[in-house]
Amino acid sequence: MLCNNNSRSPLCSFGSPWPDLNEGLFYNDVVSTSSDSGLTLIHFYSSKYKNSAPLQGWLQRIHNGQITIDGEVVKEPKAILRDGMELVYHRLPWREPDAPYLLQVLYEDDDMVALNKPPGLQVLPGGLFQQRTVLMQLQWRASKGSSSLAIQGSHPVPVHRLGRGTSGILLCAKTKVAKTSLAAYFADGTSLIGDSSNANMEQSKRRKISKIYRALVNGILNQDKIIIKQPIGTMRYPGVAKGLYVASPSGKPALSKVEVLERDSQLNQTLVQVEIESGRPHQIRIHLSFIGHPLLGDPLYDVGGQPMCFDSEHEDESFAEDGGYERPAKPVPGDCGYYLHAHQLVLSHPTKNEVIKITAPLPSILRTQAETEELM
């Protein structure tokens, strides 16, 4: 059932409470002649999945009977693998960290749905969050509905990401055509950054999607408007397997347009509006910290667009009850506490010849004084 929300209708919400434990995970592999045949079971897992658990953690999982070879449980770490063997590792069910589950529908039609994501909810599965995600709530909603989506076994999928601690508009596609078009909108905006040719400058003016955020930052910004063009790359960082995104001269181009909305000298903080023309991970957090004004409450990024604390040489080999690494002691990108909200989205509809404007209500801390007085 569609909510058919518009600016004059009340917003509807959906969501199911999370079970105490998730269903665990199954990881499937097939031994190939070229690289895996002849390896021991422990060598295979501790090298191929070293980001999942240390050596002692994988030994524990094998001894626990969590790995099968061709359907049979194998508890011998030195078992030799042969070409064509089918391996399955069962990650046992666990209780995921607390997360909200209710999602507000801001806009919906047959092609797409725009949600108001609460802070603290992850968009896609990853790390400790495999079930408590926006994607899972979308799947549950589709399975309960009587729409054609439920009958076909399909469901809306997010076409971009928001950080776990970020709230606001999350756009999801309900058809393959919409998914392709919307994903291209985001990708095109990012690909144009850094190319100063006249053709691309003109194309940039005709972007099919515009994203505006609200953020609360430390300190007082003196300039009313700032354009930040700092590239964003990655660095090695404990607890982040693929590297942490940071401000980096050798990174990929990124562009953020910052406008001051209100300054609070008494609290030494500034309320800003940020329009991003690219979509690098954690771009706003990195860019604002790069210019000396990290988001208020950000546990990770410090002045300069770098992590607050970093020791690349230290590797923790301790492991949790399930054999995996302990939760990192240092802050990681998914940690919450900052104030960032995807407030407005303007886009060309993927199948109709019309422009859609979507607005997510502002949290009270991200409203200007005038906006607060107007609501009262």
Side-chain angles (χ1 to χ4, degrees), residues 27 42-55 57-58 61 89 91 126-128 130 236-243 315-320 322-328:
Y27 297 86
I42 185 60
H43 186 181
F44 175 85
Y45 277 103
S46 62
S47 58
K48 185 169 184 177
Y49 296 106
K50 60 183 179 182
N51 291 322
S52 170
L55 175 65
W58 278 114
R61 290 169 172 179
Y89 157 58
R91 184 177 179 183
L128 292 175
Q130 295 294 328
R236 288 185 59 194
Y237 186 83
V240 185
K242 296 182 179 179
E315 290 190 10
D316 186 3
E317 288 294 314
S318 63
F319 56 94
D322 72 343
Y325 286 107
E326 295 278 8
R327 191 199 181 285

Side-chain angles (χ1 to χ4, degrees), residues 38-259:
L39 295 180
T40 62
L41 185 63
I42 185 60
H43 186 181
F44 175 85
Y45 277 103
S46 62
S47 58
K48 185 169 184 177
Y49 296 106
K50 60 183 179 182
N51 291 322
S52 170
L55 175 65
Q56 293 302 317
W58 278 114
L59 284 171
Q60 174 180 294
R61 290 169 172 179
I62 293 171
H63 292 316
N64 284 349
Q66 293 174 243
I67 295 175
T68 62
I69 299 179
D70 292 335
E72 299 291 330
V73 173
V74 176
K75 296 186 178 183
E76 173 50 61
K78 294 183 179 179
I80 302 297
L81 303 182
R82 300 300 179 199
D83 181 37
M85 284 182 169
E86 296 183 359
L87 309 180
V88 179
Y89 157 58
H90 179 206
R91 184 177 179 183
L92 301 176
W94 70 95
R95 189 185 192 284
E96 299 182 12
D98 292 340
Y101 64 87
L102 285 176
L103 289 159
Q104 208 174 41
V105 177
L106 301 170
Y107 174 89
E108 184 170 24
D109 60 25
D110 290 332
D111 297 294
M112 62 184 186
V113 55
L115 306 174
N116 187 11
K117 186 188 85 68
L121 180 60
Q122 191 156 301
V123 175
L124 299 175
L128 292 175
F129 294 94
Q130 295 294 328
Q131 184 180 70
R132 299 186 179 191
T133 65
V134 173
L135 183 63
M136 183 58 70
Q137 289 292 348
L138 288 169
Q139 291 175 353
W140 287 345
R141 183 193 190 213
S143 66
K144 293 175 183 176
S146 58
S147 67
S148 59
L149 287 173
I151 296 170
Q152 296 167 10
S154 60
H155 57 84
V157 292
V159 294
H160 64 111
R161 295 196 188 204
L162 291 180
R164 190 166 74 89
T166 304
S167 59
I169 303 169
L170 180 69
L171 199 57
C172 306
K174 298 172 72 172
T175 66
K176 289 183 179 179
V177 171
K179 180 182 177 182
T180 300
S181 297
L182 294 173
Y185 292 177
F186 286 95
D188 289 347
T190 299
S191 66
L192 292 173
I193 304 302
D195 190 335
S196 58
S197 66
N198 290 334
N200 268 349
M201 288 179 71
E202 285 302 313
Q203 192 174 349
S204 179
K205 293 177 182 177
R206 298 193 299 272
R207 285 182 300 134
K208 292 190 175 182
I209 195 161
S210 175
K211 299 163 284 183
I212 295 175
Y213 291 72
R214 283 282 179 98
L216 190 61
V217 303
N218 281 298
I220 303 299
L221 273 75
N222 295 321
Q223 296 173 266
D224 291 335
K225 294 184 179 182
I226 306 171
I227 295 178
I228 308 171
K229 296 182 178 180
Q230 171 61 35
I232 293 174
T234 59
M235 65 181 292
R236 288 185 59 194
Y237 186 83
V240 185
K242 296 182 179 179
L244 176 69
Y245 286 93
V246 295
S248 170
S250 60
K252 295 182 179 180
L255 176 64
S256 300
K257 296 179 179 178
V258 182
E259 181 178 348

